[in-house]
Amino acid sequence: MEENFRNFRNWLIYQVYPRSFFDTNGDGIGDLNGVTAKLDYLKDLGVDAIWLCPCFKSPNVDNGYDIADYRDIMDEFGTFEDAKRLIAEIKKRDMKIIMDLVPNHTSDQHEWFVESRKSKDNPYSDYYYWFDQPPNDWKSSFCGSAWQYDEPRGQYYLHSYAVQQPDLNWDNPKVVKEMQDIVDFWVDLGVDGFRCDVIDRISKDFEGNRNLFGPNLHKYINALFGREKTAHLFTIGECHATDIDEICRHTQADRNELTTLFQFNHLRQTGRIDKWNPKPKELRTARDILTDWQILHQERDILHTLFTDNHDNNFFLERAADVRELRYESATCISTLVFLMNGVPLIYQGQELGCCGSHYDSLDDFNDIESINMYHELIEGGTTPDEAMEKINFGGRDNTRRPMPWTAGENGGFTTGKPWITMASRYKEINLETDLASDKSVFKFHKALFALRKAEEVLCQGTFTPLHKAKDNFALYLRELDGRSICVVCNFEETTKIDLPEAKGEILLSNYGRRDGDESEFRPYEIAVYRMK
Ligand code: GLC
Ligand code: CA
C-alpha cells in the first residue's frame, strides 16, 4: 500500500445506490443493467471509480445490507452475468469498481445462519454470537435490544442492526477465512476495492462493554487486506474513529489495513442536533471540522476522504444551505469547498444535480426500516404523529434513496413501471433534464469542477493551507505544489468583503460569473478559484 495511496487522490469516486439509479426492465427497481446503461453519463461527469452499494443476494430487510449470499446477485438487480458485464463495461471505459463489503453481519437467510441456529454443535454453530442469556444490554442501531432469543437453538444471538441481521463471530477463525475468500472471489473478478460496512464492529469489546473497537479489530482488518493479493486495492472503512491516532492505526501505509476512513463529524454536526432534530443551517462548522482534519491528515501523511453525502443521511445541502432561491449557488459552493481539498473526493448520486430532501405526510411514502422503527419508537414515547413525521422527513435515509431523477417526465424517467419507493417530492423541478436546460446547471458546474481538479495536478496532489480565520464566514485556502499554487474562495450565507492574497491571478472557476480583476464583495455562496502568480 506504501506507494499507491497518494494516487487515489487523482480519482473521483461516485456512489451508486443501485436500487434507485436506473431501472431497465420496468419492475420499478433499479438494476445492474441500469448502472451499465448510465456508465457514459458517469464518464462524462468525470467519474473514475464507482462505489456500488450492496447488490448481493438479499431479502432486503435493510436494502441489501443483509446479505444471504456474498457470491451471487440480488434477484431484483439481475444476474451474475449482468455483474460480469457491468465490470467489463466499467473497465472498458478505464474506470474502477468498488464493491460494498458487509463483514459485520449477514442476513438471517444466509446458509451460515440457517445452519447455525439449528443446534449448538454443527459446523456453523460458532459463526455467530450465541449466549444462554444476553451478556449485556447492548442496543440495536435500529431500536430495541441487540439480543434476540432464537427458538430453534434455545439461545440468544447478537444483532447490532435489524433482528434479521445477526452479527458474525470474527473470533472464529473460520469466519475470517470465509471473508478472505469472499474478498478474493471479487478481486479475481476484477473488483478494484471495497467500501467496508461498519468495519469497526467486527471485533467486540465485551470486557469494556462496547460493541465496537474490540481488541482484535486491527488483526482482523489486516487479515482481510494486509495480504499480497489485496495490496493494490482501494479500501475505505465505515468506521467511527474520531481520534487521529486511532485513524492512523487503521490507515497509515505501513499498517496494511485500510486506505482511508470516512470521517462523519462535519456531516453530523452541520444543521442538526442529532439525526432527527434540526438546528440552524450554516457552513462554518463543516469548514472548521474539515480544516482540522485536513491538517491532521496531512501532518500524518494519510489519505482524507472528501464527501458530504451518502445513503444514510438526508442530503447535506438540505441541512447546510439554501435549497430554494440559491440552490444552485449553495450546491456548487459546498462541492467547491469540499472537493478541492486534499484527499479523495466521493460524490453521491443526485448530488451532482443539487438534489434535496423530500417531504411526505404519510408513512406509506417511507420504506426504510430505521425511519419506520424510529417513528414507532417516537410515538410510543409520547411524540405526536405530526412531530414524529417531521423528524423522519428531516433525518430519514429515504431522502437520498429515492430514485435518481433523470427527466422531468413521469417517475423522472427512472422506470416505466411503479417505483419501489415514492419519488423525491421535488423531482419535477430537480432532475437532470431540467438542470441541463438551465443557465444555472448544477451538473455542468460539477463537470467543470472535476475537469479542473483533473487538469491541475496541484488540486490533486498539492498541500492544503487555510487562510481563513475562525471568525470569518467564508473559506479561503491554498493548494500548493512545486511552486504552483491555486487559491479557493467560498463565501457562505452573507454578502462579504473578502481580502484575497495579492498574488492572485486568473479565475479558473466561478459560480456567479465573476471575472478577472473584479474586486467586488462576494455574494451569498459565491465561489471563485484563482491561479496564483
Ligand atoms: C452501514 C450502512 C447502512 C446499514 C448499516 C448496517 O451503516 O451504511 O446503510 O444499514 O451499516 O449494515
Ligand atoms: Ca429493474
Side-chain angles (χ1 to χ4, degrees):
M1 193 163 101
E2 200 75 49
E3 296 307 324
N4 65 0
F5 84 96
R6 287 187 188 82
N7 296 334
F8 293 125
R9 294 182 298 189
N10 299 336
W11 287 15
L12 167 65
I13 303 175
Y14 185 100
Q15 182 186 353
V16 171
Y17 197 72
R19 198 171 193 79
S20 294
F21 197 53
F22 188 55
D23 172 26
T24 57
N25 64 351
D27 66 354
I29 299 174
D31 40 54
L32 294 188
N33 288 339
V35 183
T36 307
K38 297 293 184 185
L39 288 178
D40 290 331
Y41 166 78
L42 297 178
K43 186 78 190 171
D44 182 48
L45 177 61
V47 171
D48 300 287
I50 295 163
W51 152 23
L52 207 59
C53 280
C55 58
F56 312 102
K57 269 263 185 298
S58 166
N60 277 306
V61 169
D62 185 21
N63 280 2
Y65 282 95
D66 48 324
I67 297 176
D69 184 348
Y70 290 84
R71 292 181 174 81
D72 206 354
I73 300 301
M74 193 188 296
D75 294 330
E76 295 99 311
F77 285 3
T79 63
F80 194 69
E81 287 309 307
D82 295 340
K84 289 213 282 204
R85 193 165 345 106
L86 171 59
I87 295 172
E89 291 294 324
I90 288 175
K91 304 268 147 159
K92 210 194 264 175
R93 287 167 181 78
D94 205 17
M95 295 196 282
K96 314 277 183 202
I97 173 149
I98 297 162
M99 293 291 231
D100 211 313
L101 185 74
V102 186
N104 178 66
H105 44 266
T106 67
S107 159
D108 63 352
Q109 308 293 305
H110 195 292
E111 184 204 342
W112 302 336
F113 191 74
V114 172
E115 293 302 318
S116 191
R117 76 194 321 179
K118 281 185 185 160
S119 66
K120 291 179 188 158
D121 54 358
N122 67 70
Y124 297 96
S125 52
D126 294 334
Y127 271 47
Y128 299 85
Y129 292 103
W130 291 102
F131 288 89
D132 291 334
Q133 287 301 322
N136 52 46
D137 61 354
W138 291 352
K139 297 275 172 282
S140 150
S141 294
F142 294 157
C143 304
S145 167
W147 296 100
Q148 175 72 17
Y149 183 71
D150 195 53
E151 207 53 74
R153 175 139 167 176
Q155 283 186 306
Y156 288 81
Y157 67 86
L158 177 65
H159 62 92
S160 301
Y161 294 88
V163 174
Q164 301 88 341
Q165 288 171 296
D167 282 38
L168 281 163
N169 172 12
W170 277 70
D171 297 330
N172 178 352
K174 285 194 214 152
V175 169
V176 179
K177 178 73 172 68
E178 296 273 13
M179 279 296 160
Q180 287 174 327
D181 290 349
I182 288 163
V183 164
D184 293 354
F185 174 83
W186 288 102
V187 171
D188 288 338
L189 283 163
V191 164
D192 302 285
F194 295 93
R195 177 264 184 187
C196 307
D197 192 62
V198 288
I199 190 114
D200 47 4
R201 286 193 188 267
I202 63 175
S203 175
K204 321 285 178 196
D205 187 0
F206 282 99
E207 251 169 43
N209 199 22
R210 288 201 316 163
N211 185 2
L212 73 179
F213 291 109
N216 296 314
L217 181 59
H218 296 286
K219 188 172 131 198
Y220 298 153
I221 299 178
N222 183 265
L224 276 184
F225 300 125
R227 297 171 296 135
E228 207 180 310
K229 186 167 178 114
T230 56
H232 67 287
L233 296 175
F234 174 80
T235 52
I236 175 165
E238 187 198 15
C239 176
H240 300 84
T242 49
D243 159 56
I244 191 67
D245 294 322
E246 183 59 37
I247 297 171
C248 284
R249 284 195 287 278
H250 283 89
T251 62
Q252 244 156 7
D254 58 1
R255 301 279 314 185
N256 296 316
E257 292 189 26
L258 295 165
T259 314
T260 182
L261 301 181
F262 290 103
Q263 293 309 322
F264 296 104
N265 298 6
H266 63 295
L267 184 155
R268 294 226 164 105
Q269 291 173 33
T270 299
R272 71 187 211 189
I273 298 165
D274 58 31
K275 186 155 192 171
W276 313 101
N277 295 292
K279 68 181 184 199
K281 299 180 182 204
E282 47 85 28
L283 275 170
R284 222 153 76 172
T285 306
R287 176 203 67 185
D288 290 341
I289 294 171
L290 289 168
T291 300
D292 290 348
W293 280 135
Q294 283 278 287
I295 307 279
L296 288 169
H297 280 68
Q298 216 161 254
E299 278 170 4
R300 312 291 174 112
D301 200 18
I302 53 175
L303 185 64
H304 192 195
T305 296
L306 311 173
F307 76 105
T308 52
D309 286 278
N310 63 28
H311 63 295
D312 287 333
N313 293 280
N314 197 346
F315 285 102
F316 183 78
L317 174 60
E318 188 76 33
R319 293 193 303 284
D322 183 346
V323 290
R324 299 290 163 182
E325 268 79 66
L326 298 179
R327 185 176 61 86
Y328 165 84
E329 292 75 5
S330 298
T332 54
C333 177
I334 292 168
S335 289
T336 305
L337 169 70
V338 177
F339 293 141
L340 293 188
M341 287 184 171
N342 179 3
V344 55
L346 226 143
I347 186 169
Y348 182 74
Q349 75 183 39
Q351 196 187 340
E352 76 275 31
L353 309 178
C355 282
C356 299
S358 292
H359 195 282
Y360 286 106
D361 296 327
S362 160
L363 208 54
D364 295 342
D365 293 310
F366 291 82
N367 171 277
D368 179 26
I369 181 169
E370 182 187 65
S371 294
I372 293 170
N373 288 356
M374 182 47 73
Y375 179 84
H376 294 304
E377 192 173 279
L378 287 165
I379 300 288
E380 275 163 34
T383 307
T384 66
D386 284 355
E387 273 176 68
M389 201 47 86
E390 280 316 302
K391 291 186 197 297
I392 65 171
N393 270 302
F394 173 75
R397 307 192 294 184
D398 285 326
N399 281 300
T400 44
R401 298 177 176 193
R402 299 189 187 277
M404 177 81 173
W406 298 99
T407 71
E410 204 178 341
N411 296 324
F414 160 71
T415 179
T416 54
K418 185 178 180 305
W420 68 276
I421 184 173
T422 319
M423 296 294 297
S425 41
R426 296 175 67 186
Y427 86 90
K428 296 242 165 187
E429 169 205 354
I430 308 172
N431 58 72
L432 179 65
E433 183 184 37
T434 305
D435 181 81
L436 288 176
S438 154
D439 334 324
K440 290 182 174 181
S441 164
V442 184
F443 176 87
K444 286 182 193 160
F445 181 92
H446 277 97
K447 192 174 159 176
L449 176 74
F450 297 133
L452 178 67
R453 198 183 149 98
K454 199 147 287 179
E456 301 289 340
E457 196 192 1
V458 53
L459 289 176
C460 292
Q461 301 293 337
T463 55
F464 167 91
T465 309
L467 301 178
H468 49 253
K469 306 270 178 314
K471 62 174 192 349
D472 295 333
N473 201 31
F474 54 83
L476 178 62
Y477 62 82
L478 288 180
R479 299 293 310 277
E480 294 167 290
L481 179 75
D482 301 334
R484 282 169 288 162
S485 168
I486 285 180
C487 174
V488 178
V489 192
C490 301
N491 186 34
F492 298 160
E493 296 83 18
E494 309 291 334
T495 299
T496 319
K497 170 96 190 77
I498 303 180
D499 291 324
L500 299 175
E502 282 288 298
K504 70 178 192 308
E506 64 171 313
I507 295 185
L508 301 171
L509 188 69
S510 76
N511 62 352
Y512 268 88
R514 178 173 287 263
R515 302 258 167 93
D516 291 341
D518 185 346
E519 303 288 334
S520 62
E521 295 184 327
F522 277 75
R523 288 154 282 188
Y525 305 110
E526 180 168 5
I527 69 100
V529 179
Y530 294 90
R531 191 186 299 291
M532 301 296 282
K533 290 184 208 139

